[in-house]
Amino acid sequence: MSFFASEDLSLDPRFTELQEELRSVLFAGLSSLSPSRPCTPEKDADTQQTLSFSSATLTVPHARLIRYLQNWITECAPYLDKFDEDQHFQIQVPLMAQKSPALLYAMLAFSSRQMERRGLTHEGCDSLELYQESIRLLSPGLQAKDPNMLVTACILAVFELMSGGARNWKRHVEGCASLFEYFGVNGFSGGLPQAVFWCYARMELCGAIISDGAETTVLPLDEWVPPVPKSMASPDAAEKYVQNLFHQKSRSSPDTHANWAIYLCTKVCDLRFRRTQYLELGRADWHDNRPFSEQWQQLWNELQFWLNERSPEMRPIKIAEADHKQVFPTILFAHWAAISSNQVYHAACILMLEMCPPEQDLNSQCLALWHARQKPDTMSSPRPTISVLGSLNIDLVSYVPHHPLPGETITASHFNVFPGGKGANQAVACAKLSRTSALLDPSVDVVMIGAIGGDTYGEVLLDSLKSYGVETSPVIVNKNEETGSATGIAMIVVDEPSGQNRIILSPGANGSLRPTQFTTLPGPTPTLLIMQLEIPLETVLQALKTAKTLGIPVLLNPAPAQVLPSEVYEGLAHLVLNETEAALLSDLNEEDLEDISTVQKVADQFLARGVRNVVITLGGRGAYYANMTGSKGLIPALKVDVVDTTAAGDTFIGAYAVDAANAMVRPEEFDIKGAIKKSIQAASKTVSRKGAQVSIPWKDEMGSATL
């Protein structure tokens, strides 16, 4: 039969015969081996040795072999090394091939086939002859328990995928899987074995996606990672262990973060397979007895955790929005691993959305389209968007010589009416601290989500927000006469000598916000969502759940303080609270936090619950911070004359949020220490003035601390 080198080699009977021969060699060799401890391929210590092309059976001319070797080094290996900064395939594998003929001919077969596919050679099918030679030499290496055979088998498997039909993927990887099991190699073995493993893993993922839920991986996923401690036998504990394993290693290794994406996407394919087997075909799932919806939600959360924890190297350096000539945005990355892993992440999300449980109540079609556009950051404009879901109140403020005692009536020195509410104050803080007083040069877009009454106070609040550049279209206006429809009121008493305040809230329309209104988030998709607890807790919990589902980081300010369920803390991006709130949520007395060592322990407890960044404000002592990267410390307060502390905490949060949101769209990592210093400076300006929103500084008042 006639055969062209660039065609599918699976059409050539000779290739099919050799493929079966390779399978026989691998499985026959493995069956004859006794169990052995894990081995590590080693490069040859004899630097004087050179590659030898001597073979009694090979007919390929020496000059072409040299050409194939050169092509391996300059073209093939760099592609295999795109997710390996140590370049094992380009540097170490050729050195190992000096003493491993089977490996050498596997490299040459791969390179020859790559050139044939590219139309760079017209010398027939050298690749098949080289493939055959590598197979012939593979068996003695297996008998000698040569760990280099692991590399050889993996390269031959890639050769087969490149040469034959992808739908026969299982036949290509079965032998490799057995070798990984025998040599005890996994995705954390280090060095060349680890690089080879993740090359293999990408083949497994390719096959699992092609199978469309009909197949799972040949090598079980629990063998992709080191053994999970017996104390973590439950699925939840095991998943947390593996997540922490990847997370810790990926902090210093973009390659590991990319491999983590491969692992998660493969988990998605495995979940699809198990859904087909156990939900649709009714078979018992001995692997995981949790409800499918719970497994789905956990895996979705893991994917969003991966996205949020990307290092600067894994984030885009430039996003050019699509115009009328383009369907997709142009996204530029500086690291090879970032390109692949972000694509894998979005592919995994699309697969997840295709099997989204009905109770998740997601608009799967729109979300799948968003992921298909491969847009790596949750923003709908070149600037990040901060959405604030919270209270809108009118502050009725009395200034007194001292706080009244029980039964005491005192006369205020003066009285003011200010727009306020923690939600509105924080939205205004984000807006003012991200733009000049002329509303120019904004670094973030700010959206307010909440409810007001159809009354004069409500109009005042909307007008105030708009005057600072806050988008108010998602704010609900309750115009009926029912109880709770009026705009919220906060009665504030300020002790003039100290500037300390006491507040009584009448929630009004704030209490009308219901969980059913937040199965999706109103307004544009935010880069960061801020919430407090001046609206119903069940509404906050639903919005938090929705944000987690959508992969949107949340900054929670748990004020006024109340006990929260444990799931609130899991995966929470930012927890910012004062010492009163920290004490209540830690079941301590506020006096206990006067000792900074106790503050440290409280912060560590929040981190242990799953919070990624914790900030505890300590009034005149400053603010203590800690995060999952190990960064921690106390930033002292600035000395200022305190006039009114009403919006100090909200200003702090606004400044912090602006810095955090901007960090998400920059290649730099979030500098929590720098953000807190800016927040303290902004709050110091606020407490030196009277009022709430009017006292918050603009960006051009911040000087060198510009946000």
Side-chain angles (χ1 to χ4, degrees):
M1 61 174 289
S2 63
F3 180 79
F4 297 95
S6 61
E7 293 179 354
D8 187 343
L9 278 183
S10 62
L11 301 176
D12 189 334
R14 184 177 165 208
F15 172 70
T16 305
E17 292 171 4
L18 289 173
Q19 189 178 12
E20 288 302 316
E21 182 180 345
L22 174 59
R23 286 166 53 81
S24 298
V25 167
L26 286 173
F27 287 113
L30 284 167
S31 64
S32 66
L33 296 178
S34 58
S36 174
R37 63 181 179 84
C39 298
T40 302
E42 297 180 358
K43 61 184 179 183
D44 181 25
D46 182 6
T47 57
Q48 300 301 314
Q49 189 166 356
T50 59
L51 292 168
S52 172
F53 296 134
S54 60
S55 171
T57 61
L58 204 62
T59 64
V60 181
H62 187 275
R64 290 214 297 269
L65 295 178
I66 293 293
R67 188 181 176 195
Y68 297 148
L69 180 60
Q70 181 182 19
N71 186 66
W72 168 270
I73 295 171
T74 60
E75 296 290 335
C76 301
Y79 274 91
L80 296 176
D81 282 331
K82 278 187 178 179
F83 317 104
D84 178 15
E85 291 180 326
D86 293 329
Q87 298 179 298
H88 285 99
F89 282 97
Q90 190 172 5
I91 298 173
Q92 189 171 345
V93 169
L95 294 176
M96 292 165 50
Q98 293 177 2
K99 291 188 66 176
S100 177
L103 176 56
L104 172 62
Y105 289 113
M107 292 163 48
L108 296 176
F110 184 106
S111 178
S112 172
R113 183 58 187 155
Q114 190 254 9
M115 293 181 70
E116 291 166 2
R117 293 295 298 265
R118 293 170 61 201
L120 298 179
T121 180
H122 304 284
E123 307 297 340
C125 286
D126 284 354
S127 60
L128 274 184
E129 186 174 350
L130 294 165
Y131 174 56
Q132 182 177 21
E133 185 68 6
S134 180
I135 294 171
R136 184 181 69 82
L137 297 167
L138 186 63
S139 183
L142 286 173
Q143 294 300 319
K145 299 184 180 180
D146 182 359
N148 291 339
M149 296 304 98
L150 181 64
V151 188
T152 305
C154 187
I155 292 174
L156 291 177
V158 180
F159 169 91
E160 290 184 352
L161 277 175
M162 185 167 54
S163 303
R167 293 193 177 277
N168 292 324
W169 66 278
K170 260 198 166 182
R171 302 177 68 82
H172 307 316
V173 301
E174 283 175 333
C176 287
S178 299
L179 284 171
F180 282 119
E181 286 183 300
Y182 174 77
F183 286 115
V185 171
N186 60 56
F188 290 84
S189 294
L192 177 60
Q194 179 175 306
V196 173
F197 179 88
W198 288 110
C199 179
Y200 160 86
R202 284 169 169 81
M203 290 189 284
E204 281 264 47
L205 174 58
C206 176
I209 291 175
I210 290 170
S211 72
D212 196 23
E215 301 278 1
T216 188
T217 57
V218 177
L219 187 67
L221 272 170
D222 57 7
E223 295 187 31
W224 287 36
V225 295
V228 176
K230 293 182 179 179
S231 59
M232 299 180 176
S234 70
D236 285 336
E239 286 170 349
K240 194 69 175 177
Y241 171 81
V242 173
Q243 177 175 283
N244 289 337
L245 198 64
F246 276 108
H247 186 229
Q248 293 294 329
K249 185 73 180 293
S250 66
R251 290 175 181 175
S252 58
S253 170
D255 293 336
T256 300
H257 206 85
N259 294 333
W260 187 5
I262 297 296
Y263 175 81
L264 289 175
C265 192
T266 309
K267 276 189 72 174
V268 172
C269 293
D270 183 65
L271 184 62
R272 293 179 83 204
F273 166 74
R274 290 190 291 109
R275 184 194 65 162
T276 301
Q277 295 295 306
Y278 309 129
L279 285 185
E280 297 179 7
L281 300 181
R283 298 171 184 170
D285 186 356
W286 302 108
H287 174 79
D288 193 335
N289 59 10
R290 292 175 298 176
F292 175 78
S293 59
E294 183 179 332
Q295 296 182 51
W296 187 96
Q297 184 64 64
Q298 174 63 29
L299 184 49
W300 182 264
N301 291 344
E302 288 182 52
L303 284 165
Q304 308 324 312
F305 183 78
W306 179 93
L307 180 71
N308 295 331
E309 292 300 310
R310 290 173 299 169
S311 65
E313 298 94 332
M314 302 300 288
R315 295 178 183 270
I317 59 173
K318 178 67 176 177
I319 302 174
E321 290 295 321
D323 55 26
H324 67 283
K325 296 180 180 179
Q326 290 181 280
V327 177
F328 302 111
T330 299
I331 306 169
L332 302 179
F333 294 89
H335 199 290
W336 277 114
I339 300 172
S340 170
S341 59
N342 279 281
Q343 291 174 344
V344 169
Y345 159 78
H346 290 290
C349 288
I350 291 172
L351 294 174
M352 287 287 284
L353 291 167
E354 288 177 353
M355 55 179 176
C356 177
E359 57 267 33
Q360 294 296 333
D361 194 27
L362 294 177
N363 188 336
S364 301
Q365 184 176 6
C366 293
L367 285 170
L369 177 60
W370 182 85
H371 283 286
R373 295 179 75 240
Q374 300 176 4
K375 194 171 184 179
D377 284 292
T378 53
M379 60 180 185
S380 56
S381 72
R383 290 188 296 271
T385 297
I386 298 175
S387 290
V388 183
L389 170 57
S391 58
L392 298 101
N393 297 321
I394 284 292
D395 294 345
L396 307 179
V397 186
S398 297
Y399 295 88
V400 297
H402 65 269
H403 288 302
L405 299 172
E408 181 183 13
T409 300
I410 59 176
T411 301
S413 61
H414 57 285
F415 170 82
N416 280 322
V417 178
F418 296 113
K422 292 195 74 64
N425 288 348
Q426 290 174 14
V428 169
C430 291
K432 294 181 73 173
L433 288 163
S434 64
R435 65 204 69 209
T436 68
S437 55
L439 300 182
L440 300 176
D441 191 28
S443 63
V444 300
D445 293 328
V446 184
V447 178
M448 182 70 217
I449 306 170
I452 56 174
D455 48 38
T456 302
Y457 282 156
E459 293 176 3
V460 170
L461 283 167
L462 288 183
D463 290 343
S464 175
L465 288 167
K466 292 174 183 176
S467 71
Y468 296 121
V470 177
E471 172 60 49
T472 62
S473 57
V475 175
I476 299 169
V477 180
N478 293 333
K479 296 184 178 180
N480 56 43
E481 300 297 325
E482 296 178 5
T483 302
S485 64
T487 298
I489 300 293
M491 292 176 283
I492 303 174
V493 180
V494 179
D495 176 10
E496 287 190 289
S498 68
Q500 296 298 315
N501 59 44
R502 293 182 180 178
I503 304 173
I504 300 174
L505 283 176
S506 177
N510 295 306
S512 69
L513 296 172
R514 296 288 177 259
T516 53
Q517 295 170 286
F518 295 96
T519 53
T520 59
L521 294 179
T525 302
T527 310
L528 178 69
L529 174 65
I530 301 176
M531 292 191 290
Q532 322 78 33
L533 302 181
E534 286 187 346
I535 62 174
L537 178 59
E538 59 270 22
T539 302
V540 173
L541 296 180
Q542 175 58 54
L544 181 62
K545 178 181 178 182
T546 299
K548 286 183 177 179
T549 300
L550 297 174
I552 298 168
V554 174
L555 187 161
L556 179 63
N557 172 220
Q562 54 184 299
V563 177
L564 299 172
S566 60
E567 59 265 23
V568 167
Y569 303 105
E570 296 173 4
L572 185 64
H574 305 276
L575 179 67
V576 183
L577 65 174
N578 64 26
E579 49 196 325
T580 302
E581 295 145 7
L584 186 145
L585 295 177
S586 304
D587 198 22
L588 297 171
N589 296 318
E590 188 172 344
E591 295 76 21
D592 296 333
L593 272 69
E594 293 177 1
D595 184 347
I596 195 64
S597 64
T598 304
V599 176
Q600 294 173 350
K601 291 177 182 177
V602 169
D604 288 342
Q605 289 174 8
F606 287 126
L607 292 177
R609 296 179 193 177
V611 181
R612 296 202 291 275
N613 297 279
V614 179
V615 181
I616 302 175
T617 58
L618 303 170
R621 291 188 290 164
Y624 181 83
Y625 69 93
N627 64 17
M628 291 188 71
T629 67
S631 179
K632 59 179 63 178
L634 175 66
I635 307 296
L638 300 176
K639 293 183 179 181
V640 295
D641 293 328
V642 178
V643 174
D644 184 354
T645 62
T646 300
D650 299 328
T651 302
F652 184 100
I653 286 171
Y656 179 93
V658 169
D659 230 40
N662 275 307
M664 294 177 64
V665 298
R666 294 194 303 253
E668 299 88 7
E669 195 165 352
F670 174 49
D671 177 11
I672 186 172
K673 184 177 180 180
I676 292 172
K677 286 182 177 179
K678 295 174 186 177
S679 301
I680 288 176
Q681 182 177 345
S684 297
K685 290 184 179 294
T686 296
V687 299
S688 65
R689 309 166 179 175
K690 289 183 178 180
Q693 296 173 11
V694 295
S695 68
I696 299 170
W698 292 92
K699 180 168 74 170
D700 46 1
E701 296 181 73
M702 293 295 293
S704 60
T706 298
L707 300 174

